[in-house]
Amino acid sequence: MQIHKLCFLALLLLLAHTASAVNLNLKSSNIAFLGDAELGPAADGISRSGALSMTRDANPFSHGQGLWSLPVPFKPSSNSRSPYPFETSFTFSITPRTNPAPGHGLAFIVVPALDNSGAGPGGFLGILNKTNNGYPSNHVFAVEFDVFQDKHVGDINDNHVGVDINSVKSAVAEKAGYWVQTVIGKRRMWSFKEVKLSNGERYKAWIEYRNSKVTVTLAPEAVRKPKKPLIVAHVDLSDVFLQNMYTGFAGAMGRGIERHDIWSWTFQNSAKK
């Protein structure tokens, strides 16, 4: 039996005048597996797929978090108001095992602790639950890739991307897709191509935060990063981020069975190492 270790590349870019890059290879020992998160199984059910999986097929209402086990500085100090700019990109897939597509989805998250005891399944995406959802004391930032319409948290449809702040009710949300630029004569035109997040295919996402603005860009894995982002959200995360936070992924399913897999991940911020 061959076991494939999870191997992510994380980059902390130091943007001081004497900048230098620190490269960290994230293997399984660097990932904290909370709840049902695990190194995902391959199709044969014996070997490992190489993905970080948030849910387990055999567990009803499965949910979990896979977080980098070391704290990441998101502010220069506890007294600072201004968070460091950061950017991250990752490749993921969402694969239903039952029909119809059961949901619910996955998310990139920044949380204050290695603790998912306050997380719930279904529409709470393994991030929060019905008793703590919406409280500023959560200090939670997330970008969700949601494939089930939970009307009780204000989901716009069953195939969307949302920016979440201390709540799974998104501050800004758009249907999943990407922008393509074409040239017609001398005119440049933008056209929107919707994608189905839960079709089992791999997609790549780019998330950036600087100057109180979050941008989220999405595309199929084989497509270059679109020049026009899917979401531009003007949000100040000064009161959300603490000096040190934990970052990674969360995911959850409902009554049906669905895989939520992360296949690659890079993270960068301007903290001094």
Side-chain angles (χ1 to χ4, degrees):
M1 178 177 66
Q2 185 177 7
I3 302 295
H4 298 282
K5 283 190 175 182
L6 182 68
C7 186
F8 290 148
L9 174 64
L11 304 176
L12 293 179
L13 296 185
L14 312 182
L15 301 184
H17 292 297
T18 57
S20 62
V22 176
N23 297 338
L24 301 175
N25 289 315
L26 295 184
K27 299 181 184 293
S28 57
S29 59
N30 299 113
I31 297 291
F33 297 91
L34 307 181
D36 291 333
E38 64 173 350
L39 293 178
D44 60 14
I46 300 174
S47 57
R48 301 288 100 181
S49 67
L52 169 59
S53 297
M54 299 297 108
T55 52
R56 303 188 188 191
D57 295 0
N59 295 3
F61 296 97
S62 180
H63 63 283
Q65 295 179 5
L67 303 175
W68 189 12
S69 60
L70 302 175
V72 177
F74 274 81
K75 285 182 176 181
S77 70
S78 59
N79 297 323
S80 177
R81 284 280 305 160
S82 301
Y84 292 119
F86 74 85
E87 57 187 71
T88 187
S89 64
F90 51 92
T91 304
F92 70 93
S93 62
I94 301 174
T95 310
R97 301 291 205 206
T98 55
N99 271 327
H104 280 251
L106 60 80
F108 167 77
I109 62 174
V110 180
V111 294
L114 292 176
D115 178 13
N116 78 330
S117 59
F124 293 102
L125 300 178
I127 308 170
L128 297 166
N129 63 45
K130 65 181 180 181
T131 65
N132 60 19
N133 190 46
Y135 287 95
S137 58
N138 289 328
H139 294 286
V140 168
F141 169 76
V143 175
E144 64 174 51
F145 300 82
D146 197 326
V147 297
F148 190 93
Q149 187 174 23
D150 289 282
K151 294 183 178 180
H152 66 95
V153 295
D155 285 349
I156 60 172
N157 61 21
D158 62 355
N159 186 52
H160 66 272
V161 180
V163 175
D164 300 351
I165 300 173
N166 295 320
S167 172
V168 291
K169 184 175 183 179
S170 298
V172 180
E174 297 287 349
K175 63 182 178 181
Y178 64 105
W179 290 96
V180 176
Q181 189 178 57
T182 56
V183 178
I184 302 177
K186 295 183 178 180
R187 299 183 61 189
R188 293 182 180 272
M189 306 288 291
W190 289 102
S191 59
F192 184 75
K193 292 185 178 293
E194 187 171 0
V195 300
K196 184 68 173 176
L197 293 174
S198 61
N199 61 7
E201 296 182 10
R202 296 187 188 184
Y203 295 98
K204 190 168 185 179
W206 297 261
I207 301 166
E208 301 171 41
Y209 176 73
R210 54 178 46 85
N211 300 324
S212 299
K213 182 173 69 175
V214 174
T215 60
V216 183
T217 309
L218 177 70
E221 182 184 30
V223 175
R224 288 185 178 182
K225 181 184 178 183
K227 294 182 179 180
K228 183 177 180 178
L230 174 64
I231 291 176
V232 178
H234 295 274
V235 292
D236 186 356
L237 299 179
S238 298
D239 293 329
V240 178
F241 289 156
L242 304 174
Q243 180 180 2
N244 294 304
M245 305 283 284
Y246 293 87
T247 187
F249 300 90
M253 63 189 195
R255 294 183 182 277
I257 301 172
E258 184 170 272
R259 301 296 303 169
H260 303 88
D261 295 322
I262 305 297
W263 296 95
S264 66
W265 177 31
T266 68
F267 178 88
Q268 310 172 6
N269 80 1
S270 59
K272 293 181 180 181
K273 188 70 174 177

